[in-house]
């Protein structure tokens, strides 16, 4: 339940949660964990192409919890006008978003020598610029109401640990996630003390995004991980839930890295 000021009176309303890429592996897990932990609320599932996945998840959540209202909204976050339209639609209907999970992402591994300007631009637009725009527009609304939570889904690929942690075939992805980490720190400073802005930076997660990787790659990466396995989407989602819950109210401007090698 969220509180908001109307004139000099206080009103009580349901909290509004927005998950970008809400039909994807991590996004759908985050949606389910949020739905499991709240008694009521408004959950907005953004998607780009996976309409069926978003609609099926909406039905699933509303069936299990009659007090949660789920909305699905389509937008191609690569396109500036669609980012603007997404924010406009949400703010017109709800006035504010209380919790934003910037989860939508794009990756396409390709040899560096073959990567084009357009390839790099697409990744940066989806992974970084859209994240910036949504956090800026919705974050200032959070700041005005003196409450809000933003969690960015980053990656250990965005942490410049050592040269061995980088892979030139994903140079644009690595750069975009390093940028997300910088956004996290800057927005946390801009919106303090009212809005918590944090990031979760997982390593390998067992999502459809990685299903087509060759088995030898999976095995090679498993051998570097202390648990000898990849993280599940649900494990990432539980960490996201902790960050947006009242229990993590003091955590701000942090990048929680799931480094496991």
């Amino acid at each position: 339940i969220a509180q908001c000021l109307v004139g000099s009176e206080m009103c009580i309303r349901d909290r509004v949660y927005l998950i970008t890429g809400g039909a994807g592996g991590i996004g759908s897990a985050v949606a389910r964990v949020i739905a499991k932990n709240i008694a009521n609320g408004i959950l907005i599932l953004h998607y780009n192409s996976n309409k069926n996945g978003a609609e099926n998840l909406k039905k699933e959540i509303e069936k299990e919890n009659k007090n949660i209202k789920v909305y699905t909204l389509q937008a191609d976050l690569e396109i500036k006008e669609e980012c603007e339209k997404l924010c406009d639609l949400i703010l017109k209907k709800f006035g504010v978003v209380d919790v934003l999970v910037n989860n939508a992402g794009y990756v396409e591994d390709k040899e560096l020598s073959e990567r084009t300007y357009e390839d790099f631009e697409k990744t940066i637009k989806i992974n970084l610029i859209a994240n910036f725009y949504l956090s800026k527009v919705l974050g200032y609304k959070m700041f005005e109401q003196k409450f809000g939570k933003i969690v960015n889904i980053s990656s250990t690929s965005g942490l410049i640990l050592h040269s061995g942690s980088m892979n030139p075939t994903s140079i644009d992805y690595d750069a975009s996630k390093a940028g997300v980490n910088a956004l996290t720190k800057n927005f946390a400073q801009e919106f303090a003390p009212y809005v918590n802005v944090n990031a979760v930076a997982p390593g390998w997660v067992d999502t459809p995004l990685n299903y087509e990787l060759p088995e030898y790659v999976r095995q090679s990466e498993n051998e570097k991980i202390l648990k000898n396995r990849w993280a599940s989407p649900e494990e990432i989602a539980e960490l996201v839930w902790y960050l947006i819950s009242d229990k993590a109210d003091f955590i701000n401007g942090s990048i929680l890295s799931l480094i496991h090698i």
Side-chain angles (χ1 to χ4, degrees):
I1 301 295
Q3 295 181 331
C4 58
L5 289 172
V6 179
S8 59
E9 299 180 354
M10 187 72 74
C11 69
I12 303 297
R13 60 171 177 79
D14 289 343
R15 276 188 183 167
V16 180
Y17 302 80
L18 168 61
I19 306 168
T20 67
I26 294 177
S28 61
V30 170
R32 290 187 178 98
V33 168
I34 290 175
K36 179 182 71 174
N37 283 282
I38 63 176
N40 46 53
I42 295 166
L43 188 56
I44 305 170
L45 304 176
H46 156 267
Y47 70 94
N48 180 23
S49 58
N50 191 5
K51 181 177 182 178
N52 287 339
E55 292 296 335
N56 288 338
L57 183 57
K58 165 185 165 69
K59 293 175 184 177
E60 173 192 325
I61 291 173
E62 290 187 333
K63 180 180 180 181
E64 294 180 359
N65 190 329
K66 302 297 184 183
N67 293 320
I68 297 177
K69 181 62 178 175
V70 184
Y71 295 85
T72 61
L73 287 177
Q74 189 277 336
D76 184 346
L77 299 184
E78 183 184 356
I79 301 171
K80 173 189 173 186
E81 291 76 15
E82 295 210 17
C83 289
E84 294 172 339
K85 183 178 179 180
L86 178 66
C87 289
D88 289 346
L89 285 171
I90 292 170
L91 293 178
K92 184 176 181 180
K93 185 168 183 65
F94 303 109
V96 71
V97 167
D98 300 289
V99 175
L100 167 63
V101 181
N102 283 308
N103 167 71
Y106 173 78
V107 62
E108 181 183 4
D109 288 345
K110 183 184 291 187
E111 292 299 326
L112 178 53
S113 60
E114 298 175 1
R115 193 171 295 280
T116 65
Y117 182 99
E118 289 76 17
D119 291 334
F120 200 97
E121 182 181 45
K122 179 176 182 176
T123 304
I124 295 299
K125 282 183 174 180
I126 296 172
N127 292 3
L128 183 59
I129 298 178
N131 184 309
F132 155 77
Y133 184 79
L134 269 64
S135 297
K136 174 180 179 288
V137 173
L138 302 177
Y140 277 114
K141 291 292 185 180
M142 296 177 184
F143 187 82
E144 288 174 8
Q145 71 168 1
K146 298 185 177 181
F147 174 83
K149 306 274 188 172
I150 299 175
V151 177
N152 299 318
I153 303 301
S154 182
S155 169
T156 53
S157 296
L159 300 170
I160 313 301
L161 304 174
H162 49 77
S163 60
S165 66
M166 300 291 100
N167 191 328
T169 61
S170 58
I171 186 171
D172 51 343
Y173 181 81
D174 296 351
S176 71
K177 293 303 184 179
V180 166
N181 295 337
L183 288 185
T184 301
K185 297 286 188 180
N186 280 279
F187 275 125
Q189 182 173 325
E190 177 71 4
F191 296 146
Y194 304 120
V195 182
N196 295 62
V197 186
N198 296 291
V200 176
W204 289 110
V205 183
D206 204 8
T207 66
L209 195 67
N210 296 316
Y211 286 170
E212 295 182 4
L213 286 173
E215 183 58 32
Y216 76 87
V217 172
R218 296 179 65 91
Q219 185 57 40
S220 173
E221 294 303 314
N222 277 352
E223 293 172 1
K224 301 175 185 177
I225 300 172
L226 295 177
K227 293 294 290 183
N228 197 34
R229 66 172 178 83
W230 293 11
S232 70
E234 291 71 27
E235 288 171 313
I236 307 304
E238 291 289 354
L239 183 53
V240 172
W241 168 252
Y242 174 71
L243 289 174
I244 64 178
S245 72
D246 294 337
K247 294 179 179 179
D249 191 60
F250 192 71
I251 301 176
N252 200 11
S254 295
I255 299 167
L256 303 188
S257 172
L258 279 66
I259 297 175
H260 41 223
I261 59 175

